[in-house]
Amino acid sequence: MTDRLGAVLAGAVPRVCAAAVALVAVDGSVAAAAATGELVRYADAEGTLAAERPPAGRDSIFDLASISKLFTTAVLLSLAEEGAIGLDEPVAAWIPGHDPRVTPRRLLTHTAGLPPTRRIDLELPGADASERMEAMLRTPIAHPVGGPYLYSDVGLVIAGRVAELAGGAPLDALVRARVTDVLGLPDTGYRPVAPSRAATPSRVAATEWKPERPGPGCVRGEVHDETAYALGGVAGHAGLFATAGDLLAFGEALRLAAIRQGDAVLRPESVAEMLRDQGAEGAAFRHGLGVRIGDPAIVGPLSGAFGHSGFTGTSLVVDPARGLTVVLLTNAVHPVRGRDGIRELRHAVAGEALRLRGLQPLT
């Protein structure tokens, strides 16, 4: 544990989250690391302490929530590099009958006119995952196509399905083949405690108390997001789990490509397009392809940095200009959502990254 970063996390645990892990890389080398708290602290929504409370560590696995969108984006851009999709081609080329104005670019910039969310589990309680996916793909346009910006999980679900159809494989297989295997990320994937994965429940952070899910206790080892869960745990908008180290390596791959020093997952020109302001009007930040640029909720003093946050209390911030990659993984929805302080914690971690950058010579 790095003392200053550890103190930042300790000041938020357990008030903001039960567990937190943070990593800061400066010019590709880990300059600070900290882990504190308990992966499972509560047994129910009332805050009853769990009988067993395993400590968080750097190898702990967290539900990334919407950071999953960056992996979906990477898959789509890799398919675009191969000519398997066109970013401005109607998604109707893969999903017949879909609104011809909707393109992968509009899905990735949240300007496709789709609603923010759809509780398909409540709409179709007796359906299986494939039936629910077909219903998601038929979600009608509800807002102007082309903007203004309207954050839409539905759009990224559709983007994930487009990737599957264009890539000829399930999304989890595409993420594995095109991202995690390429970068050597053994602890990143969907459904972390499935028989096919090496992870054990003891390494996974718990999230929310959901009495409608199989128990006992809070959700652990399965996706927190209700729509992703209803779709079988694999979706374009949510579902990935990872360690801080794995997520740092993914962020570093994007940082290096952004400064044209690497192309492990995507070519530099693809990352340049990913990080170009796509002109999504009405957002509180500039929006690239699947990625937020200068999002005040997560970058803190790292103005100009890009990344994404996750509803469970996670964030990835990459600042190519300063040579910084910052990862924060928490379970701020354990045992209930709506706890205060996660924004301030993200800012504090980003502030510590900036301090560390100040101790390093700029290259």
Side-chain angles (χ1 to χ4, degrees):
M1 177 180 291
T2 303
D3 288 346
R4 290 181 63 114
L5 185 60
V8 168
L9 299 190
V13 175
R15 178 180 55 85
V16 176
C17 50
V21 180
L23 291 177
V24 176
V26 179
D27 296 331
S29 297
V30 175
T36 190
E38 300 159 327
L39 296 177
V40 182
R41 179 173 174 82
Y42 305 104
D44 53 38
E46 282 68 48
T48 304
L49 292 177
E52 296 184 8
R53 304 201 295 273
R58 282 183 61 173
D59 66 341
S60 296
I61 296 171
F62 288 77
D63 183 336
L64 298 183
S66 284
I67 294 177
S68 304
K69 293 175 170 70
L70 298 184
F71 288 78
T72 301
T73 300
V75 168
L76 280 168
L77 290 177
S78 73
L79 290 167
E81 288 179 353
E82 297 171 1
I85 67 167
L87 293 177
D88 298 305
E89 186 175 356
V91 301
W94 302 279
I95 305 172
H98 207 284
D99 191 306
R101 298 172 296 171
V102 174
T103 63
R105 188 183 303 276
R106 284 177 169 162
L107 294 175
L108 294 177
T109 56
H110 300 277
T111 57
L114 289 159
T117 190
R118 186 173 177 185
R119 287 295 303 274
I120 203 68
D121 55 325
L122 302 180
E123 292 181 37
L124 301 174
D128 62 21
S130 62
E131 292 172 318
R132 288 168 171 167
M133 176 59 79
E134 287 302 313
M136 291 291 291
L137 299 180
R138 296 193 300 271
T139 302
I141 300 298
H143 305 276
V145 176
Y149 167 87
L150 180 64
Y151 187 73
S152 175
D153 282 346
V154 177
L156 266 292
V157 170
I158 295 171
R161 183 58 181 149
V162 169
E164 292 183 328
L165 294 169
L171 183 59
D172 55 346
L174 293 171
V175 168
R176 185 167 56 250
R178 294 173 177 269
V179 183
T180 63
D181 280 357
V182 174
L183 296 176
L185 311 181
D187 292 316
T188 301
Y190 301 87
R191 298 178 292 211
V193 297
S196 61
R197 299 294 309 286
T200 59
S202 62
R203 292 175 57 200
V204 182
T207 55
E208 195 171 10
W209 167 256
K210 290 181 178 289
E212 72 276 14
R213 300 268 189 101
C218 294
V219 171
R220 193 179 186 199
E222 62 186 31
V223 63
H224 171 267
D225 182 88
E226 294 88 353
T227 301
Y229 180 75
L231 296 173
V234 179
H237 72 298
L240 273 171
F241 290 71
T243 60
D246 275 12
L247 189 57
L248 186 79
F250 175 69
E252 275 292 296
L254 296 180
R255 183 185 71 84
L256 288 172
I259 60 175
R260 296 187 173 271
Q261 292 185 7
D263 59 357
V265 173
L266 294 170
R267 299 171 186 164
E269 53 268 31
S270 295
V271 174
E273 182 63 14
M274 181 185 188
L275 301 182
R276 183 177 67 83
D277 183 357
Q278 300 287 321
E281 296 181 0
F285 40 78
R286 290 169 288 143
H287 211 292
L289 294 177
V291 66
R292 300 174 175 186
I293 306 164
D295 180 0
I298 61 172
V299 302
L302 302 179
S303 56
F306 70 87
H308 215 290
S309 59
F311 184 77
T312 49
T314 59
S315 56
L316 170 64
V317 174
V318 182
D319 190 334
R322 295 184 176 93
L324 293 171
T325 300
V326 185
V327 169
L328 174 65
L329 300 183
T330 83
N331 58 346
V333 296
H334 176 61
V336 294
R337 65 184 69 188
R339 302 171 74 177
D340 293 330
I342 187 62
R343 181 187 179 109
E344 290 75 17
L345 177 57
R346 287 168 172 151
H347 286 191
V349 172
E352 177 60 12
L354 184 60
R355 187 191 73 84
L356 289 164
R357 172 73 273 179
L359 299 178
Q360 304 283 339
L362 286 172
T363 58

